[in-house]
Amino acid sequence: MNHFLDIYKTEPAALRAILDDAMAMKKARAGQPRGALDAQTPLEGHMVALIFEKPSTRTRVSFDVGVRQMGGETMVLSGSDMQLGHGETIADTARVLSRYVDLIMIRTFDEAVLLEMAEYATVPVINGLTDRTHPCQIMADVMTYEEHRGPIKGKKVVWCGDGNNVCASFLHAAAQFQFDLTFAGPAQLDPEDEFVGLARKAGCSILIERDADKAVQGADLVVADTWVSMHDSQSTKERRHNQLRPYQVNKQLLDRANSDALFMHCLPAHREEEVTSEVMDGPSSVIFDEAENRLHAQKAIMRYCLGR
Ligand code: CP
Ligand code: NVA
């Protein structure tokens, strides 16, 4: 049984196999209606619990559709409707759910909830985002980069903005897939030292740059994310906007990157804040392929977890 808790916790060979599988599954169902079953249905007879303690569009729909395409069934649960939100321990919840379902995906706040779920569940647990990381997203992002431009190994990724959960998983991916990453953002919102250290230890060049113009020079991929994440207090919004405004990805900034650089954003985006519509809808943007690839990457992650 394999959990999928973070990119750095899964071996590079397994990550590569997941991406190969995702690409093969994507190709195999090209042109099929979204609701059609895959030719092979490895999740037939399997029940998957999708638990959300935070809002979601992409994660919720892509996991749900992905399970169904592979012949399985889902149960979408909101944390507040479960006894989990009313005092039942995570450990007890994990042991109970493991008697009913074959796989648990959870989106939550505190990473400790995910880890405790994984410790006590006797079925695989997948991280659907915590305050600290978002590994499924970055598997889709690496897949999307490689689909458009070939191997990501040795490429330069520039993260513009808040050193948040999505940025953290990019650092983990840098370590496992061997690419370089430059963080462009204010010192107050730097990524965690632990994750920067982990990528550097793996031999990647990880630079922290305060000047966005300098950072994007030579970039193969430029990435932005919301300035205020779901776990951030709304009372910090104005301060964050002031700190992050110099890191907006606009055409002028993107023009400093390599001519074939791609732009990504995990979405949801706040147009004209962290990124302009001109960039989001422009020729370098692959944001909707990125969103689609959540489906294919997560199907492969689920197969890896279930050994099917
Ligand atoms: N990118 C992402 O995880 O989107 P949702 O919050 O809509 O799931
Ligand atoms: N950093 C964002 C990502 C949303 C998919 C958040 O946590 O809200």
Side-chain angles (χ1 to χ4, degrees), residues 55-60 107 134 137 230 266-268 294:
S56 168
T57 297
R58 280 142 289 269
T59 306
R60 178 181 169 143
R107 165 169 287 195
H134 195 5
Q137 178 68 53
M230 291 181 276
C266 65
L267 306 179
R294 293 291 303 278

Side-chain angles (χ1 to χ4, degrees), residues 9 23 28 43 54 70 72 75 78 88 102 118 122 144 146 157 179 191 196 209 246 251 262 283-284 293:
K9 292 179 178 165
M23 205 56 228
L43 262 62
K54 286 176 177 170
M70 295 194 291
M75 197 173 283
S78 107
E88 185 166 21
D102 301 287
T122 54
T144 307
E146 297 198 330
V157 175
F179 57 84
V196 171
E209 179 57 75
K251 185 171 183 301
L262 296 178
S284 308
N293 284 339

